[in-house]
Amino acid sequence: MKRRVFGGTGASQAQVDMAPLIDMVFILLIFFMVASSFVREAGVDITRPESQTASSVEEGFVPIGIDQGGRVFLGGRVIPADSVRSIRIALDEAGRDRVLVQADREVPTHLLLRVIDSAKLAGATQVDVAALEE
């Protein structure tokens, strides 16, 4: 079947419809925005202790993790347990005054208390310890 072109140079031009591409990019943007708004973790694999009175925490906190080996994690990097300055910087950057300590069930109490004290000295008005509901 021959194509007739009236006027112009006689060559037909193919056009790409950009609407589906724009729709796909918009859907991906929404997906990543929703996926990034989930509860933030401290970036370390831990086995949380269980508690009968545990309640869920929404958002609005700075997560600090303590693994079984006693390493303290803040923002994906290891910090000293008594690093008030690092915690203060993280609180200021996040614009928050609440800290959630996510400690492994095998973490010694003295280490957990050092981290809680450091968070309070850094300016955290509320420090919570993460646990699983029984």
Side-chain angles (χ1 to χ4, degrees):
M1 179 194 270
K2 288 188 175 182
R3 177 181 283 182
R4 290 186 182 206
V5 178
F6 297 101
T9 61
S12 64
Q13 294 180 347
Q15 293 183 354
V16 177
D17 188 11
M18 295 297 287
L21 178 64
I22 293 170
D23 289 344
M24 182 59 71
V25 170
F26 184 72
I27 290 171
L28 287 173
L29 178 67
I30 291 173
F31 172 78
F32 286 115
M33 286 175 54
V34 170
S36 68
S37 68
F38 290 127
V39 176
R40 296 181 298 166
E41 296 291 327
V44 59
D45 291 328
I46 59 171
T47 305
R48 292 184 184 154
E50 295 177 354
S51 172
Q52 292 179 353
T53 60
S55 61
S56 59
V57 176
E58 297 302 320
E59 57 183 57
F61 59 84
V62 173
I64 298 176
I66 308 173
D67 69 359
Q68 189 174 7
R71 294 179 302 175
V72 180
F73 291 84
L74 176 64
R77 59 185 169 80
V78 178
I79 64 167
D82 52 358
S83 180
V84 175
R85 182 171 183 261
S86 296
I87 298 172
R88 181 176 296 135
I89 291 171
L91 288 169
D92 290 342
E93 286 177 355
R96 308 284 187 210
D97 61 350
R98 185 177 187 184
V99 170
L100 179 67
V101 180
Q102 300 169 352
D104 192 272
R105 68 174 58 186
E106 302 298 325
V107 169
T109 307
H110 72 277
L111 179 59
L112 179 60
L113 290 176
R114 281 177 55 199
V115 172
I116 290 172
D117 287 343
S118 297
K120 288 182 179 178
L121 290 172
T125 58
Q126 184 174 353
V127 180
D128 298 315
V129 177
L132 294 175
E133 295 181 55
E134 284 187 346

